[in-house]
Amino acid sequence: MRKFYEQLLENNKEWVEKSLALDPNFFADLAKGQTPPLLWIGCSDSRVPANEIIGAKPGEVFVHRNIANMVVHSDMNMLSVLDYAVNVLKVKHVIVCGHYGCGGVKAAMGNMSVGIIDNWIRHIKDEYRLHDKYLNSIEDETERFNAFVEINAKEQVYNLAKTSIVQGAWKNGQDLMLHGWVYGLNSGFVTDLNVNIASNEELDEVYQLSNL
């Protein structure tokens, strides 16, 4: 166990040396600040590294991760990240990226208790209820699972658009576009779900906040 820990420290040293060999000012430049154009909301799954998937360098992606890439209206952690990204960093894009084979989505499709996470994935279960006719019509279990992963990512994009943070930015004329993706663990490619929102006019009227 200690050997693994010590290896992590050694890996860090090697990474610093390689980074400085390529650019002697690498860390000095990073320390000056960050102006990332993108906020990435992804799953906590260790197999889905945001920067590597899109070939981004340190400082180019602001990241928030949780189980099943959820945007929950009462999650102060997510809202704080979103507020900072939109109102301070002025990101121009927010990508919600799910992934096929997501354990959180899979758990939400069943009845087994998996611990305290039951309370979190209940939000995903609510989404299944909204789309149950379509999902239950898919006979193949893997295809149904993949379809629900996609639906979950799309729903989180709409949840983002419903926040006062995003709608306030739009009202102020800020360039901000929301996107939904799904990452393939077995291929490395992302699938664009073609849900790209740039104004609250694309939401049901009840969600359009008029007094911001």
Side-chain angles (χ1 to χ4, degrees):
M1 185 166 63
R2 184 165 184 80
K3 184 178 181 180
F4 171 78
Y5 175 72
E6 291 175 346
Q7 185 61 52
L8 296 179
L9 296 173
E10 189 60 34
N11 291 348
N12 171 253
K13 293 178 182 178
E14 292 179 5
W15 174 68
V16 171
E17 291 173 358
K18 289 180 181 179
S19 298
L20 291 175
L22 293 173
D23 179 3
N25 296 317
F26 181 78
F27 295 104
D29 290 340
L30 277 182
K32 293 176 182 177
Q34 58 173 331
T35 55
L38 165 68
L39 167 62
W40 174 284
I41 298 178
C43 184
S44 298
D45 193 298
S46 62
R47 300 167 293 178
V48 191
N51 284 61
E52 293 183 32
I53 287 174
I54 58 175
K57 299 176 182 178
E60 294 181 340
V61 185
F62 202 58
V63 178
H64 175 76
R65 299 172 70 171
N66 60 46
I67 299 297
N69 44 270
M70 297 294 290
V71 175
V72 178
H73 74 278
S74 57
D75 180 4
M76 290 303 297
N77 187 348
M78 183 279 301
L79 291 174
S80 297
V81 171
L82 178 64
D83 183 67
Y84 190 80
V86 171
N87 292 320
V88 178
L89 298 177
K90 303 295 184 181
V91 299
K92 295 186 181 298
H93 298 272
V94 182
I95 293 176
V96 176
C97 186
H99 67 95
Y100 297 115
C102 180
V105 173
K106 183 68 173 179
M109 297 177 72
N111 297 318
M112 292 293 293
S113 174
V114 289
I116 196 171
I117 195 177
D118 293 341
N119 300 281
W120 183 255
I121 64 175
R122 201 212 68 197
H123 298 288
I124 314 177
K125 287 179 179 287
D126 289 342
E127 293 168 16
Y128 196 101
R129 177 176 55 82
L130 294 174
H131 300 274
D132 60 349
K133 288 184 179 179
Y134 165 65
L135 291 168
N136 291 337
S137 72
I138 303 175
E139 296 184 2
D140 183 84
E141 186 175 344
T142 300
E143 290 183 10
R144 188 187 316 123
F145 182 18
N146 289 341
F148 193 28
V149 166
E150 294 174 356
I151 286 173
N152 180 59
K154 290 179 181 179
E155 288 290 344
Q156 305 320 310
V157 176
Y158 285 110
N159 285 344
L160 274 175
K162 296 170 187 175
T163 65
S164 59
I165 297 168
V166 169
Q167 293 202 23
W170 284 335
K171 185 174 182 180
N172 292 331
Q174 188 170 331
D175 290 331
L176 180 64
M177 183 171 283
L178 315 178
H179 314 273
W181 287 4
V182 174
Y183 174 68
L185 294 173
N186 60 353
S187 71
F189 290 106
V190 295
T191 297
D192 184 350
L193 299 176
N194 294 315
V195 51
N196 303 288
I197 307 176
S199 75
N200 68 354
E201 295 174 359
E202 300 175 57
L203 297 173
D204 291 338
E205 187 175 354
V206 70
Y207 294 114
Q208 297 179 18
L209 305 177
S210 61
N211 60 335
L212 291 173

